Coordinates of all heavy atoms in Angstrom, one line a residue:
Chain A
C41 N -2.0 -17.1 -27.2 CA -1.9 -16.1 -28.3 C -1.7 -16.8 -29.6 O -0.8 -17.7 -29.7 CB -0.8 -15.1 -28.0 SG -0.6 -13.9 -29.3
S43 N -0.7 -15.5 -32.2 CA 0.4 -14.8 -32.9 C 1.8 -15.2 -32.3 O 2.7 -15.6 -33.0 CB 0.2 -13.3 -32.9 OG 1.2 -12.7 -33.6
C44 N 1.9 -15.0 -31.0 CA 3.3 -15.2 -30.4 C 3.3 -16.4 -29.5 O 4.4 -16.8 -29.0 CB 3.8 -14.0 -29.7 SG 3.0 -13.7 -28.1
G45 N 2.2 -17.0 -29.2 CA 2.2 -18.2 -28.4 C 2.2 -18.0 -26.8 O 2.2 -19.0 -26.1
A46 N 2.1 -16.7 -26.4 CA 2.1 -16.5 -25.0 C 0.8 -16.9 -24.3 O -0.2 -16.8 -25.0 CB 2.4 -15.0 -24.7
C55 N -3.3 -9.9 -26.3 CA -2.1 -10.5 -25.8 C -1.2 -9.3 -25.3 O -0.9 -8.4 -25.9 CB -1.3 -11.2 -26.9 SG 0.3 -11.7 -26.4
E57 N 1.8 -9.4 -24.6 CA 3.2 -9.4 -25.2 C 3.2 -8.7 -26.6 O 4.0 -7.9 -26.9 CB 3.7 -10.9 -25.3 CG 3.9 -11.6 -24.0 CD 5.0 -10.9 -23.2 OE1 5.8 -10.2 -23.7 OE2 5.1 -11.3 -22.0
C58 N 2.2 -9.1 -27.5 CA 2.3 -8.6 -28.9 C 1.0 -7.9 -29.3 O 1.0 -7.4 -30.4 CB 2.5 -9.8 -29.8 SG 1.1 -10.9 -30.0
L59 N 0.0 -7.7 -28.4 CA -1.2 -7.0 -28.6 C -2.1 -7.7 -29.7 O -3.1 -7.1 -30.1 CB -0.9 -5.5 -29.0 CG -0.2 -4.7 -28.0 CD1 0.1 -3.3 -28.5 CD2 -0.9 -4.7 -26.6
S60 N -1.8 -8.9 -30.1 CA -2.7 -9.6 -31.0 C -4.0 -9.9 -30.2 O -4.0 -10.4 -29.1 CB -2.0 -10.9 -31.5 OG -3.0 -11.7 -32.1
Ligands
LIG505 ZN1 1.0 -12.5 -28.4

Side-chain angles (χ1 to χ4, degrees):
Chain A
C41 178
S43 178
C44 78
C55 173
E57 296 293 346
C58 74
L59 299 180
S60 168

